[in-house]
Amino acid sequence: MASISFRNVTKRYGDVVAVDDVTLDIRDNAFFCLFGPPLSGKSTILKLILGLEQPDAGEILIDGRPVTHVSPAQRNVAMVFQNLALFPHMTALENVRFPLVERRMEPEHIRARVADVTEKLHIGHILHKPPAQLSGGERQRVAIARALVRDPVAYLMDDPISALDARLREETRVELRRIQREMGKTLVYVTHDQEEAMSVADGMAVFENGRVRQTGTPEDLYRRPNSTYVAGMLGAPAMNVLPMELAVRMQVADAPDRAANLGVRPENLRVGLGELAEITEVEPLGGFTTLGLSLEGTDLRATLRGQPKFTAGQKVGLTVDPGRAHFFDAGGAAIAAH
Amino acid sequence: MQRSLSFEIFRYAAIFTFLALSLIPTIWMISMAFKPIAEWQASGADLTWWPENPTLDNFRFIFGESGSDLIVALERTAGRPILASLLAATFGTLIAMVAGTSAAYGLSRFGAGGNLPLALIQLRIFPPMAVMIPVMIMWAFLGLIDTWYGLALIYGIVTMPFSFWLMKTFFDDMPREIEDAALVEGCSRWRVFLKITLPMMRPALASSALFVFILNWSDYLIALLLTTRDWVTIPVYMASLSSSMTGQLYGAKAALGLIAAVPPVIMGIAIQKQLVRGLTFGALKE
């Protein structure tokens, strides 16, 4: 039960600025995603929260209290590392109960906690095995169990399910969401998968080169990205961004004067009769179909419901759903629509 | 894959050649250790692969029992040199491993010492002789000449760079996250080292220790310079097994060599299981 705040935190490794003047508020009991490409500073944020790294500037607060001089063990934050970091010389059971044994808990209490968490994660039958004899998914669960077993103020997870196959990943993240709600604890979750971030997070921060570009709920960020960068990071296929000179041909209304680029999500692009663009590609995906379009040499993507009858090479007209156009200035920053 | 017969013949011929090169000296030593004097002294034509009249006379001889046909009396028996070698090599290895491992951990994790660790190998840059002269003088000053602990100390110093560099590469290869995980889960730095790092390093420690032990165990030069009577080691003692009347006492040397081979072999067998296991196997996701 704790909020986590960053106040102008900077962390450098030699000449590399890993975290650049980050101010961030993660409220209590949130499922908060740190989202961004690899090496954008997300993992460093976790290390700073854990106390494994010290900030070069700024301040980190857990539950409103500065933690600069608090050791990792005393911060009482649990972590699932990206590479899991299980203890190879111990069995799964010894791994899971390690945090409790190290904290000198009563044996009965340990037994009860371990039984509870291993049941939640369905790993009761593999507890006698060392990590080497477990499958990737089982190791993942053991690592998560080791984090969940004690009663920390917050859980941190560094892309913990990236090694699983797509279906297992979906199951696990739903389960994580359920467990997080049950536990009622803050969970800070690092991912580079936008679908993962969008589907489970209450709040998220989008990172670029150690800076936070935007924070908010996934819905907020999706509907009102503050820059072409954030717009491009969320949503698949990504938002189409095209220069205004081209955009005016799609009869976009209300374009602000400063607008240099128009952004339009593939699902907000309407394909109809006309001669404006040419279809280059048709990808039927079952419930919907993705079209590749060429508008005077600029590639666009459109997502349509169902399986409409289009063929590659066909000429079509394009318009934008009213009120769904995003405008960006020359620097890539969003301009609020009137 | 199908291989031609001639290739197979060539392959086995090569294997046997290498086997012979590495094994024949060993076999020769074992065989000679059990030969009576007449057989190992025989010149040229009479030499046989295996002892025709196997005997333990060589072993009895170096332990001071009569029963040998040799008419030389030994100044010393082998018991004391074996003890000297065991003490000096074991404690030397212990010193080298404790110091080397701590230094390697400090450098690998915390960058302790900066570039100074490079100086650790400077002792190896000079010819050993050049280094040993000042050491002799210092040891004489400290009263460490001809003591097993004096020998153990210099063994520890001389082989520490090896244990240091070996352990450093092992520590460098160990993922930091495993230690981080233990730190986060409530361990102090010391407990992390004792409960996580050292147990994980067991194979590395075992192989480094074996390597260092063999270096110490087979040293001749240092022991020759720093011991005189009471604590000469097996290699020095072995060199003394000769006489003006009979020349080299090959049988006795072979017997002593066989005894000298026992500790490293036992150690090797004992840690074999550790060596084949990977260091962090199963700790990380692949």
Side-chain angles (χ1 to χ4, degrees):
Chain A
M1 279 164 290
S3 57
I4 299 168
S5 303
F6 278 61
R7 298 270 169 268
N8 305 97
V9 172
T10 297
K11 174 70 192 172
R12 291 183 202 90
Y13 294 104
D15 290 338
V16 182
V17 184
V19 169
D20 191 359
D21 194 26
V22 165
T23 296
L24 191 63
D25 281 297
I26 299 170
R27 71 176 169 72
D28 184 20
N29 204 1
F31 195 123
F32 196 90
C33 270
L34 307 177
F35 173 64
L39 301 176
S40 56
K42 309 172 307 251
S43 298
T44 310
I45 293 278
L46 294 193
K47 283 184 182 168
L48 288 165
I49 298 174
L50 288 169
L52 294 172
E53 298 286 358
Q54 292 297 331
D56 292 311
E59 197 172 39
I60 298 162
L61 304 108
I62 296 180
D63 222 4
R65 280 192 303 275
V67 291
T68 312
H69 300 291
V70 183
S71 77
Q74 290 165 338
R75 291 193 187 188
N76 201 17
V77 178
M79 168 85 175
V80 179
F81 285 85
Q82 187 169 26
N83 58 15
L84 303 183
L86 293 174
F87 307 130
H89 57 295
M90 299 181 186
T91 64
L93 175 64
E94 286 166 332
N95 266 284
V96 172
R97 73 179 177 204
F98 184 85
L100 303 181
V101 174
E102 280 309 302
R103 279 157 211 273
R104 309 248 158 85
M105 304 266 187
E106 296 293 318
E108 285 100 273
H109 178 75
I110 294 180
R111 221 166 296 136
R113 286 293 303 157
V114 169
D116 181 43
V117 77
T118 52
E119 192 202 345
K120 258 191 194 116
L121 288 159
H122 318 294
I123 51 171
H125 59 294
I126 51 157
L127 286 177
H128 59 285
K129 294 183 185 174
Q133 289 172 23
L134 302 178
S135 73
E138 287 168 340
R139 281 179 207 171
Q140 212 111 36
R141 281 159 184 278
V142 171
I144 293 171
R146 184 176 68 184
L148 295 183
V149 75
R150 63 193 171 91
D151 197 33
V153 295
Y155 300 104
L156 313 184
M157 298 191 183
D158 192 351
D159 217 349
I161 60 179
S162 61
L164 303 186
D165 63 59
R167 239 190 73 198
L168 201 52
R169 230 161 66 188
E170 211 175 299
E171 275 174 38
T172 311
R173 82 178 178 225
V174 170
E175 211 170 335
L176 277 177
R177 173 81 231 193
R178 180 178 60 77
I179 291 170
Q180 186 265 336
R181 287 220 177 99
E182 271 175 34
M183 296 259 182
K185 297 279 170 64
T186 312
L187 196 161
V188 184
Y189 191 97
V190 161
T191 181
H192 60 267
D193 179 337
Q194 59 95 19
E195 190 188 321
E196 210 167 290
M198 301 275 295
S199 61
V200 290
D202 307 316
M204 58 191 289
V206 181
F207 280 78
E208 184 190 20
N209 293 333
R211 286 175 164 271
V212 174
R213 292 302 300 261
Q214 194 174 1
T215 55
T217 65
E219 198 195 341
D220 266 352
L221 301 195
Y222 188 77
R223 296 180 62 161
R224 284 180 288 278
N226 66 1
S227 58
T228 48
Y229 176 78
V230 174
M233 291 292 291
L234 295 176
M239 180 187 276
N240 299 299
V241 177
L242 61 167
M244 283 312 291
E245 304 91 80
L246 273 179
V248 291
R249 310 195 47 182
M250 294 194 290
Q251 291 150 9
V252 180
D254 306 332
D257 297 340
R258 287 187 298 127
N261 287 300
L262 167 82
V264 54
R265 297 230 175 252
E267 66 268 29
N268 299 132
L269 210 50
R270 284 196 187 164
V271 182
L273 292 175
E275 296 282 313
L276 191 57
E278 189 184 326
I279 295 177
T280 54
E281 218 181 323
V282 181
E283 278 179 56
L285 297 168
F288 50 93
T289 301
T290 304
L291 296 182
L293 299 154
S294 172
L295 175 61
E296 296 192 2
T298 302
D299 289 329
L300 301 176
R301 309 276 283 171
T303 312
L304 306 175
R305 222 181 272 274
Q307 288 161 328
K309 299 272 174 283
F310 286 112
T311 49
Q314 194 178 341
K315 293 269 189 188
V316 289
L318 287 179
T319 49
V320 177
D321 278 345
R324 291 305 177 91
H326 301 261
F327 298 102
F328 301 99
D329 67 18
I335 302 166
H338 340 263
Chain B
M1 193 170 77
Q2 277 291 326
R3 291 204 184 94
S4 68
L5 184 67
S6 55
F7 178 80
E8 287 295 305
I9 291 171
F10 173 77
R11 198 160 73 103
Y12 278 95
I15 291 172
F16 278 115
T17 310
F18 284 114
L19 269 180
L21 279 174
S22 56
L23 283 182
I24 283 177
T26 315
I27 293 170
W28 194 243
M29 179 189 74
I30 296 170
S31 150
M32 197 150 60
F34 296 99
K35 282 178 179 174
I37 177 167
E39 287 179 43
W40 57 256
Q41 250 194 345
S43 53
D46 302 335
L47 284 175
T48 54
W49 274 106
W50 296 110
E52 279 162 10
N53 308 297
T55 170
L56 291 175
D57 273 2
N58 292 320
F59 294 91
R60 292 202 190 95
F61 173 70
I62 56 173
F63 285 106
E65 276 181 49
S66 56
S68 162
D69 298 332
L70 284 168
I71 27 168
V72 276
L74 276 176
E75 202 184 324
R76 290 187 291 268
T77 60
R80 186 80 179 198
I82 291 173
L83 179 69
S85 270
L86 279 175
L87 283 173
T90 306
F91 282 90
T93 305
L94 213 62
I95 293 169
M97 287 308 296
V98 170
T101 304
S102 324
Y105 188 70
L107 178 70
S108 180
R109 285 293 176 280
F110 313 109
N115 286 327
L116 200 64
L118 271 176
L120 275 178
I121 48 170
Q122 70 174 4
L123 209 59
R124 319 295 313 184
I125 295 172
F126 303 103
M129 255 320 182
V131 181
M132 283 315 294
I133 304 301
V135 168
M136 274 177 76
I137 298 168
M138 284 192 284
W139 257 233
F141 180 74
L142 293 168
L144 293 175
I145 298 280
D146 205 22
T147 60
W148 68 266
Y149 44 88
L151 205 52
L153 183 60
I154 189 68
Y155 281 169
I157 293 169
V158 167
T159 53
M160 196 273 254
F162 290 106
S163 69
F164 170 79
W165 282 107
L166 283 170
M167 291 309 296
K168 183 178 173 303
T169 55
F170 286 119
F171 284 131
D172 287 348
D173 286 346
M174 179 180 162
R176 289 194 73 143
E177 285 82 4
I178 295 179
E179 289 189 347
D180 285 349
L183 276 179
V184 169
E185 300 304 351
C187 286
S188 66
R189 261 282 161 206
W190 260 109
R191 273 192 77 73
V192 172
F193 186 69
L194 293 178
K195 292 243 340 184
I196 306 296
T197 314
L198 278 187
M200 276 182 66
M201 283 290 147
R202 256 173 39 203
L205 287 167
S207 49
S208 307
L210 176 64
F211 180 69
V212 167
F213 180 82
I214 289 173
L215 282 180
N216 290 337
W217 184 252
S218 51
D219 162 73
Y220 174 68
L221 178 69
I222 297 174
L224 181 70
L225 295 174
L226 294 184
T227 58
T228 50
R229 264 190 34 183
D230 292 347
W231 294 100
V232 296
T233 59
I234 293 175
V236 179
Y237 176 69
M238 190 184 286
S240 74
L241 287 177
S242 63
S243 79
S244 51
M245 290 160 72
T246 56
Q248 299 289 336
L249 301 171
Y250 287 119
K253 288 186 182 212
L256 186 60
L258 198 56
I259 294 170
V262 170
V265 169
I266 290 177
M267 256 183 100
I269 292 170
I271 68 168
Q272 200 176 28
K273 215 183 115 200
Q274 303 276 0
L275 291 182
V276 292
R277 280 178 41 194
L279 216 55
T280 60
F281 188 48
L284 313 175
K285 63 186 178 192
E286 271 97 50

